Each structure stands twice: as structure tokens, then as C-alpha cells.
Amino acid sequence: MEELIQISPGIDPHGASSGQTGKEQQAAGVGILLQIMMLVLSFVLGHVLRRHKFYYLPEASASLLIGLIVGGLANISNTETSIRAWFNFHEEFFFLFLLPPIIFQSGFSLAPKPFFSNFGAIVTFAIGGTFIASMVTGVLVYLGGLMFLMYKLPFVECLMFGALISATDPVTVLSIFQELGTDVNLYALVFGESVLNDAMAISLYRTMSLVRSNASSEHNFFMLVVRFLETFVGSMSAGVGVGFISALLFKYAGLDIDNLQNLESCLFVLFPYFSYMLAEGLGLSGIVSILFTGIVMKHYAFSNLSESSQRFVSAFFHLISSLAETFVFIYMGFDIAMEQHSWSHIGFIFFSILFIIIARAANVFSCAYLVNLARPAHRKIPLKHQKALWYSGLRGAMAFALALQSIHDLPEGHGQTIFTATTAIVVLTVLLIGGSTGTMLEALQVVGDSHDGSLGETYSLPENLERNHTYIAPTYDVESSSGNKFKMKLKELHNTASFSALDKNYLTPFFTSNNGDVDDDFDGPTPPSSRGNGFHRYG
């Protein structure tokens, strides 16, 4: 005879699990509510600060500070673990969901003329400069350990730290440039370096991680260069290819009629994420891919949309990039306050800050020197712009996410020390240096309206870029010989006309339906994000 299992009256066998599920749902609701409240507070506070022109606390700094304060309060009030779990900074969530809309909006709202006229300099700073900065930082940290000035790490781990801490995030500087106005070439250099520099830092970090796990470091050092070039060219090709495919789809699919405009907008929104995931799936850089997808889609695919879809996608990408960017700083601040840190190695933090300042100077001034060697006199980067570039090297979410990853990649204690140092550097640069950026840039006379006609003056309207700008469209001395003028004009024509002619005569007619009447300055309805282009918001 089978024994019957007796269940006491009033006892629900599923009661415990359902009660647990109810608590988890409640914790999720409270966590999401806190996140929404902090976002609202951050946007309102940012608006108030902007309205009163209070540049000592930029929006990014305010968002980070809000996250730090709320995280600190949650920490001391013993908030439930289930609620706190909603605020843990997950690098996968950052790389897959928060970063793509920010980077795409950067490319989508980009005015191409200043960016591509300085593309050689941008690549020099982003690739060569980031490599120099990471190597200098890594070597100095290693030597500091040998001299017992700081916590000693193995050499390859020092290089990993140098790579991750070389990722800059000058969102504060760019937002001040947008508010006060600045030279378009300086803005293009700071913006372009910050975007491509992220890809370089990630590639260097991953390559150093591979070097650490293998014995033949010399072979891997050679492969570092090959791997990065592979990654960069492949990622750029993937991004450009996806952008061109989208342009052809919107040109020939006939989606710009009234009853298909929702489908048109949905497809346009999906293509950037497809580009990012394609590159990541192929082992390339999603950052570089989605950046060039944004540039190509704005130049070729955007004009193939209906007017209502153009308005929608412009507003949509600006909206989600603003939300993502603000949330990143709140998210980061809350996690910094909640994480366990290793504060026993104060010397490592202090000397790391000193070393990255030195490395940033080595990066900027050496690369500027090389760029100026290759440029004619009227296009050289002025010293005050070099100083502004040096001061613009704030560290942000990218360095923080890679440092968080290092906890899993490195032995016990080493990763924690690097994470704590990176946390301190991010907080100090965003809050202290970010708060003093406005004063510093004004002291260097690179922001604000300029009336003296000097090199690097500010222009508030895009049409002034070529008419007045002193080192994007060169002016010629009346007293110079006709032969020199002819040579300079011939060189300028050789450098600028080839791609413009190719674009106007072949690419634009093939990929768009407006026969070359594309506005190269992108003065359409796209509002720039704080990390995106702000050329047409100056003044």
C-alpha cells in the first residue's frame, strides 16, 4: 500500500517560493524606482546648473555625485541585498546596452568636415598617443614598484593597468565646449580622440591580457600591432558596410510612404545595433563599427527617409544617448559607493595619478609635435590647444568598466588594487578636474567668443567654418609669390578634392535619392548629445 504524504492544513507547498518571488519583484520595483528618481534629479539639476552657467559642477560630475551620495546612504542604512543588486555595475550591461547608443549618436551627429580634415591628427592621438600613454604609465608603475614607492605588480599587469587607465572620457570638456563655444578643430580633436581611444584602450587591454596568459611575450608584442590594425580596419569596414546596406535598403525598398513609416523608423533604429553586434560577434571592436555606421547612415541613409521618420530617429537617438550617458555616471557613482575597495595601498593611488598626468603629457605633446611636422604653418596645432588636449584627459566609465573586469582577470589582490586606484582616479578627474575645466579652458583662451581674429577663434555658425576658420580652410598671404600660392592650392586640392569628388559624383548618387544635395555639415534636426558633436550649438 502506498503511503500518503500528509500535508498539514493551511500549509501551501509553493508558498515559500511564491513569497520569495514576490519579495524579488518588490525589490526590483524599488530598485528601478530609485534609478528613475536619480535620473530625474540628475536631469533637473543639470538643467538648473546650465541655466545659471555654473560650470564648477558639470552635468556628468553632478550625475556621478548623485550616485555616490545615494550609494553611500544605501550602504550605511543596510539596504536589502536584493535592492542593492540592481545597482551593481556589470561591464557586460555597459558594453552591450549603454555604450552603443552613446557612440552611435557621436557619429550620427558628427559634422564630417572638421572631423575628416583632422582625421590624420585624430588617428595619431588616438592610436599612437594612447599606445604611448599606456606604455609610459605601465613602465612608470612597474618602476615605482621596484623602487618601493607603491604596490609592486608584475610588468604585464602594469601594462594592463596602463592600457585601461588610458581610456579617456572628456564628456565634461565637450559639454563646456558646447556651452561656451570653441575652435572647431580643437573640438574635433578632443571628440575624435576620445571615441577612437576607447577602441584602442580595449584592444590594448585584451592583448596584454593574452600576453599575460602566454609565454612568448615577444611574439605577442608583434601580434599586438597586427591585431589592432586587423581590429580597426575590420571594424571600420563592418560599420561602413552596414551603413551602405542600410542606405540602399531605404533608397529602393519604398518605405517612405505613410503607412510604412513606422517600419522605416524601426529598421533605421535596428541597423546600428546590428552593426555593433556583428563586430563583437566577429571578435572586432563594436565601438569603431557603430561609430562609422553612424557617420555613413547620417550621410547616406538619413536623406532616404521620409521627413517624419527623419524627425523621429533624430529625436530618438538623442533621447536614448542622453539617458544612457546620464545613467552611466549615476550607475558608476552608486557602484563605487557600494563596492569593496582596497584602500591599504594609498601610495599606489597617489603615484598612479602622478604617472597618468606625465603619460598624458607625453602622449599629447609628442603626438602634436609629430602632427605639426607634417602640417604646413597655417594648420599647425597651437600650444594652447595642446594644453587643452592634455587637460581634457579625464577618465570615466570605460576605464571603470575595464578595471572592474580586471578583478576577474588578475590574481586576488592585484585586480582589487587596480580597481580601487581606477575608482579614485575616475572620481578625482570627473569631480575635481571636471569642475575646474571651465576656468582652465578660459585661462587658455580656447573657449568663449573671440574677437581678435587670432588662430583658433570661435565660430557660432557652421557656415563660418570655411569662410573664416584659420586652419581648416587656409588663407594665403597676398605678398606671397604666385608660384607658392599655386603649390599650396595644388596641395590643398590634392588633399581634399579626391574623396569629395568621389563622394559627389559616385557615392551620393548611388546610395541616396537626392543626387548629391546632401548637407555635409549635418545641420538638420539632429540635436547633439553631450558626447556628440556640438559644432552647431556654439554661441
Side-chain angles (χ1 to χ4, degrees):
M1 179 184 293
E2 292 182 315
E3 294 184 3
L4 297 176
I5 300 175
Q6 300 293 325
I7 301 177
S8 302
I11 302 283
D12 180 5
H14 304 291
S17 61
S18 62
Q20 185 67 24
T21 303
K23 283 187 177 180
E24 289 177 357
Q25 289 178 349
Q26 183 182 13
V30 173
I32 294 172
L33 176 64
L34 282 174
Q35 291 171 352
I36 293 172
M37 289 173 61
M38 287 192 290
L39 277 170
V40 170
L41 178 59
S42 180
F43 281 118
V44 171
L45 181 59
H47 171 71
V48 171
L49 292 172
R50 253 196 336 267
R51 187 173 181 180
H52 291 86
K53 301 185 183 298
F54 188 80
Y55 301 120
Y56 296 104
L57 186 65
E59 290 177 73
S61 304
S63 301
L64 182 69
L65 199 57
I66 289 170
L68 284 169
I69 293 171
V70 175
L73 292 175
N75 214 2
I76 63 177
S77 63
N78 294 321
T79 306
E80 288 187 30
T81 307
S82 55
I83 296 177
R84 293 167 63 173
W86 278 87
F87 292 92
N88 291 337
F89 191 100
H90 299 287
E91 55 269 26
E92 296 88 358
F93 180 66
F94 169 74
F95 284 116
L96 295 179
F97 296 102
L98 295 178
L99 192 60
I102 297 172
I103 300 298
F104 178 78
Q105 175 65 11
S106 297
F108 191 69
S109 61
L110 172 71
K113 287 183 180 179
F115 181 81
F116 285 107
S117 65
N118 290 282
F119 190 70
I122 289 170
V123 170
T124 302
F125 281 110
I127 297 179
T130 304
F131 183 80
I132 290 171
S134 62
M135 292 297 114
V136 170
T137 303
V139 169
L140 289 177
V141 168
Y142 181 70
L143 292 177
L146 290 180
M147 297 170 64
F148 302 103
L149 296 175
M150 56 198 300
Y151 185 68
K152 185 177 179 181
L153 293 174
F155 183 62
V156 176
E157 293 180 14
C158 291
L159 294 180
M160 289 174 68
F161 174 65
L164 70 89
I165 206 63
S166 298
T168 60
D169 189 9
V171 60
T172 298
V173 180
L174 296 180
S175 65
I176 291 176
F177 281 170
Q178 291 175 2
E179 294 295 328
L180 300 181
T182 191
D183 180 277
V184 289
N185 290 282
L186 175 59
Y187 189 103
L189 287 175
V190 174
F191 160 76
E193 186 217 2
S194 69
V195 175
L196 298 182
N197 147 282
D198 286 347
M200 179 66 176
I202 292 172
S203 179
L204 277 174
Y205 177 84
R206 291 176 179 173
T207 306
M208 291 302 173
S209 183
L210 289 175
V211 170
R212 179 181 171 272
S213 61
N214 295 315
S216 56
S217 58
E218 293 178 3
H219 173 71
N220 285 317
F221 179 79
F222 170 75
M223 290 303 295
L224 182 152
V225 180
V226 176
R227 173 62 180 162
F228 177 76
L229 292 175
E230 237 175 45
T231 301
F232 185 83
V233 175
S235 303
M236 183 174 66
S237 302
V240 171
V242 171
F244 281 147
I245 290 171
S246 69
L248 291 174
L249 173 68
F250 292 115
K251 179 179 180 180
Y252 293 110
L255 300 174
D256 57 345
I257 57 178
D258 289 339
N259 60 338
L260 290 179
Q261 286 177 1
N262 287 340
L263 175 61
E264 183 183 45
S265 299
C266 289
L267 288 174
F268 197 92
V269 168
L270 289 174
F271 266 103
Y273 209 76
F274 173 78
S275 170
Y276 188 90
M277 289 299 114
L278 175 66
E280 290 293 323
L282 294 174
L284 303 173
S285 171
I287 294 175
V288 174
S289 179
I290 201 171
L291 171 69
F292 282 95
T293 298
I295 295 171
V296 173
M297 287 186 73
K298 183 59 185 286
H299 191 49
Y300 298 106
F302 185 74
S303 61
N304 294 332
L305 300 178
S306 61
E307 289 186 10
S308 60
S309 294
Q310 288 182 1
R311 288 192 296 269
F312 171 78
V313 297
S314 295
F316 176 79
F317 285 125
H318 176 59
L319 171 67
I320 61 170
S321 66
S322 297
L323 283 171
E325 195 167 81
T326 304
F327 185 71
V328 162
F329 281 94
I330 294 173
Y331 194 35
M332 188 166 57
F334 195 97
D335 193 73
I336 287 172
M338 302 292 285
E339 284 282 344
Q340 296 295 323
H341 297 283
S342 175
W343 296 109
S344 57
H345 304 293
I346 300 297
F348 188 91
I349 297 171
F350 173 78
F351 284 104
S352 294
I353 294 171
L354 180 63
F355 293 157
I356 66 169
I357 292 173
I358 296 171
R360 179 68 181 171
N363 164 1
V364 170
F365 295 113
S366 62
C367 288
Y369 177 77
L370 293 176
V371 170
N372 284 342
L373 283 180
R375 284 186 166 187
H378 58 269
R379 297 197 66 220
K380 292 186 185 297
I381 303 174
L383 182 59
K384 63 180 181 180
H385 287 188
Q386 297 177 34
K387 292 177 181 177
L389 268 170
W390 170 72
Y391 203 77
S392 302
L394 284 72
R395 270 57 176 181
M398 184 64 69
F400 183 80
L402 291 175
L404 200 58
Q405 187 175 325
S406 72
I407 296 178
H408 310 294
D409 295 341
L410 299 179
E412 182 68 29
H414 293 189
Q416 194 66 44
T417 301
I418 286 176
F419 176 69
T420 301
T422 304
T423 297
I425 290 167
V426 168
V427 172
L428 287 173
T429 56
V430 173
L431 293 182
L432 296 184
I433 298 180
S436 62
T437 297
T439 304
M440 178 67 175
L441 296 177
E442 287 178 347
L444 290 173
Q445 297 179 338
V446 296
V447 293
D449 294 328
S450 175
H451 304 287
D452 59 0
S454 61
L455 185 63
E457 62 182 338
T458 304
Y459 304 105
S460 59
L461 297 175
E463 55 266 26
N464 288 343
L465 298 184
E466 290 190 355
R467 185 182 65 206
N468 292 332
H469 206 279
T470 49
Y471 79 88
I472 191 170
T475 56
Y476 303 101
D477 188 355
V478 177
E479 296 179 358
S480 63
S481 67
S482 59
N484 287 337
K485 286 198 290 186
F486 176 75
K487 288 179 181 179
M488 293 176 74
K489 288 181 178 179
L490 186 63
K491 187 174 182 179
E492 181 190 357
L493 181 67
H494 174 74
N495 290 336
T496 62
S498 55
F499 179 77
S500 299
L502 174 68
D503 179 44
K504 184 175 182 180
N505 296 329
Y506 299 101
L507 297 179
T508 297
F510 183 74
F511 288 106
T512 69
S513 52
N514 56 8
N515 296 321
D517 298 326
V518 177
D519 184 2
D520 283 342
D521 289 320
F522 294 173
D523 297 326
T526 306
S529 69
S530 57
R531 183 170 176 159
N533 175 48
F535 298 116
H536 60 280
R537 285 183 60 187
Y538 292 165

